Amino acid sequence: MSGCIFCKIINKEIPKEFRFESDAVVAFDDISPSADVHILIVPKKHIREVGEVGDQDAELLIEVYKTVNKLVKANNLENNSYRVVVNGGFAQHVPHLHFHLLGGQWKKYV
Ligand code: AMP
Ligand code: ZN
């Protein structure tokens, strides 16, 4: 969607090093980390918010959580602590659905 910063990152209009990319999702470091590990997992499909997720997105959500799992392992977080956070309403600042993977010490709220 034009004007969406995450769509621009996904379409490579804004350069960004991806930690993971598949046909359906990308993952990259949060620009302002709230934890030792702070990675955003972003579906390539522009879904505005969690309230717009529908039955058609079931496979996509499975892929998101499989990506989380890969990143947990890649960052040795299984034996540390981690959280997956999805913000909504006034707590969401980028209007393109994304999942925060926060690992290790949490420094501030996302
Ligand atoms: P939220 O409040 O859940 O919408 O979170 C948006 C997150 O995106 C924040 O943690 C920001 O630091 C992060 N963010 C915004 N712009 C960028 C960017 N260009 N690259 C990486 N992370 C970003
Ligand atoms: Zn978008």
Side-chain angles (χ1 to χ4, degrees):
M1 175 169 278
S2 70
C4 170
I5 188 165
F6 284 180
C7 281
K8 285 184 181 153
I9 290 172
I10 289 159
N11 296 330
K12 303 185 167 84
E13 291 164 47
I14 295 175
K16 183 68 71 180
E17 190 178 326
F18 291 152
R19 284 182 173 259
F20 179 79
E21 180 175 16
S22 70
D23 287 347
V25 306
V26 295
F28 50 87
D29 287 336
D30 195 291
I31 206 165
S32 173
S34 295
D36 294 337
V37 175
H38 188 168
I39 301 171
L40 301 176
I41 296 93
V42 186
K44 287 187 173 176
K45 178 181 175 187
H46 182 92
I47 299 172
R48 213 206 80 81
E49 58 178 14
V50 71
E52 280 186 7
V53 170
D55 291 346
Q56 68 281 2
D57 301 311
E59 269 187 41
L60 179 56
L61 290 192
I62 291 168
E63 167 121 13
V64 164
Y65 279 98
K66 284 165 90 174
T67 303
V68 168
N69 199 18
K70 285 190 184 89
L71 293 166
V72 163
K73 290 190 172 124
N75 290 278
N76 301 311
L77 293 174
E78 307 106 303
N79 298 316
N80 201 322
S81 59
Y82 67 90
R83 299 173 174 89
V84 180
V85 172
V86 180
N87 289 323
F90 295 140
Q92 181 182 358
H93 297 95
V94 175
H96 179 132
L97 180 68
H98 54 280
F99 298 73
H100 298 255
L101 171 62
L102 298 144
Q105 200 72 29
W106 187 319
K107 297 169 185 159
K108 56 182 167 109
Y109 283 109
V110 290

